[in-house]
Amino acid sequence: MLNATHDFCTIPMPDEHYGLNDYSKGMPRWCPGCGGHSILTSVQRVCKDLQYPPEKTVAVSGIGCSSRFPHYMGTYGFHGLHGRAFPVACGIKFRRPDLNVFAITGDGDCCSIGAGHWVHAVRYNMKMVALLFDNGIYGLTKKQTSPTSPLGTHSNTHPEGSILPPINPLQTTLGISNASFVAQTTDWNVAHLYATIRKAAEHPGFAFVRIVQRCPAFMRDLYADLSGNPENLIYLKSENGINLEPNAQRKFERVIEHNPLNINKAREHAEISDGIPIGLLYQNTENPRYDTYGAHNLGMNATDKKQGIRELLDHYTIKNNNS
Ligand code: SF4
């Protein structure tokens, strides 16, 4: 903490200033080279740059490699049940709209057992950052086919290669009513990763970010090819999108001009199969948000709420007219 003033210093200083260490905790247990490391660092940097008070910040997760995330944040955290990051995060946000919420999920967690919660969390559009760590495999349980595994993935559940086409998390999210922010990035482009999470944190609603994440332990070949070839990345360029410094932009060989207000074009770009489009696919800051209807935002205190519950219970009481 820095002191506000000094006798000979006229530069205004904040009463409190949080450094990166304030958002860090423990030693991540992810494998060396796992994409989780750079995502964690980027979230911590965003928290620092936006000066989120650690005691007003919470990371919520389900189950999977990615879901160890809250253990490494020096903030509040909730390591929940498989597929249940979103309902817990929504409950927290509804009750405590003053908190900065990060919902952390993986492809197995979100797109399989948690898919129903994913749909409704997008529709509720409560303000939070939702990060899908998509490595295309169940890593924690050592290599089973996940809903986003590319067709033909050899795994312990499909030794001969997976037989169903994968879910496209971008297409799915863009198809849910009231979706308000859909972006994609990769763990190995750290400048773009940071800029994407920062843009998501500033969005007034549910900001869904799919992060194409490397899993060197179980998907080494696939991700070595993706990350080793710059032609695989397609930079979505827009005045109101996710923008990098000109020098950082220059390394992208494939660039598409895209207006993130255009949901039909966003759906087209989400379908691109000969590369990974990165950037802001869609944003609408006007969509209704369910968290603004919570008791807190309606200005109700504890007494008001008790009174309201009593009135409702009276309303639904079945009265015996003979007594
Ligand atoms: Fe990361 Fe894969 Fe290791 Fe899990 S198994 S920690 S996703 S590299």
Side-chain angles (χ1 to χ4, degrees), residues 30-31 34 65 135 139 213 215-218:
W30 293 312
C31 307
C34 175
C65 288
N135 57 16
Q213 185 214 344
C215 172
F218 297 119

Side-chain angles (χ1 to χ4, degrees), residues 21-86:
N21 282 348
D22 294 309
Y23 304 99
S24 310
K25 197 175 67 182
M27 178 66 75
R29 282 209 229 150
W30 293 312
C31 307
C34 175
H37 296 284
S38 61
I39 303 172
L40 173 68
T41 306
S42 297
V43 171
Q44 289 167 339
R45 277 188 56 212
V46 168
C47 288
K48 179 191 81 78
D49 291 348
L50 295 176
Q51 284 295 290
Y52 283 171
E55 73 279 11
K56 293 271 185 188
T57 304
V58 57
V60 182
S61 67
I63 293 292
C65 288
S66 60
S67 293
R68 294 200 54 77
F69 192 94
H71 296 271
Y72 311 136
M73 291 287 289
T75 63
Y76 282 104
F78 193 105
H79 188 173
L81 298 175
H82 204 199
R84 271 53 177 175
F86 290 138

